[in-house]
Amino acid sequence: MPELNLAPQYLCDSAALQECGDAVTFEVLEWGQVAPAFAVRYDNVALAYLNRCAHVPTEMDWQPGKFWDLDKRFIICAVHGALYDPPNGLCVSGPCHGAHLVAIDLREENGQVCWYPSERFQPLF
Ligand code: FES
């Protein structure tokens, strides 16, 4: 079994994540398979989730990096309109009501945003 890499993975500078702005997209290995992910800022907190709707496991952005609804209050899936509460990824409206996005541990320190690998999520390289 390959050794786990648990070192923080630099994603972007803090300034790249604007409040309810475009997402910074990236990829992780989830159980060894490449999976798309995204990071956004909401309420001045940087958050990351797999780019995978809880309804149908498909990417949610209507254009690359565009994850906000018109009011910039919810993360929206462009396929059938599920709305997710940004801080916890809970679907509050839509066909997967009550289900969650899959969170990725993201932390911000000294002007940098890093994601933290786990047994489930490993860096590609
Ligand atoms: S695939 Fe996202 S709401 Fe249906």
Side-chain angles (χ1 to χ4, degrees):
M1 191 169 162
E3 207 170 293
L4 284 182
N5 178 355
L6 299 178
Q9 304 292 306
Y10 171 80
L11 180 61
C12 62
D13 288 345
S14 292
L17 286 182
Q18 296 292 314
E19 180 74 16
C20 296
D22 285 359
V24 171
T25 57
F26 61 109
E27 291 182 321
V28 298
L29 282 180
E30 182 192 24
W31 305 124
Q33 302 287 316
V34 176
F38 67 99
V40 290
R41 183 183 300 281
Y42 180 81
D43 230 0
N44 206 25
V45 178
L47 307 157
Y49 294 103
L50 285 184
N51 185 0
R52 179 190 297 155
C53 188
H55 177 218
V56 177
T58 185
E59 295 185 33
M60 304 186 295
D61 37 343
W62 54 279
Q63 281 179 24
K66 308 282 188 190
F67 287 89
W68 295 104
D69 70 338
L70 283 178
D71 297 334
K72 296 189 181 283
R73 169 62 185 91
F74 294 106
I75 293 167
I76 187 168
C77 173
V79 183
H80 306 112
L83 296 177
Y84 295 94
D85 197 22
N88 52 27
L90 173 69
C91 179
V92 294
S93 172
C96 44
H97 189 271
H100 283 85
L101 297 175
V102 179
I104 296 173
D105 186 9
L106 194 74
R107 302 180 210 171
E108 191 170 19
E109 209 171 37
N110 299 325
Q112 294 194 330
V113 178
C114 295
W115 68 273
Y116 281 68
S118 60
E119 191 177 1
R120 179 174 183 174
F121 299 122
Q122 286 287 290
L124 264 58
F125 304 107

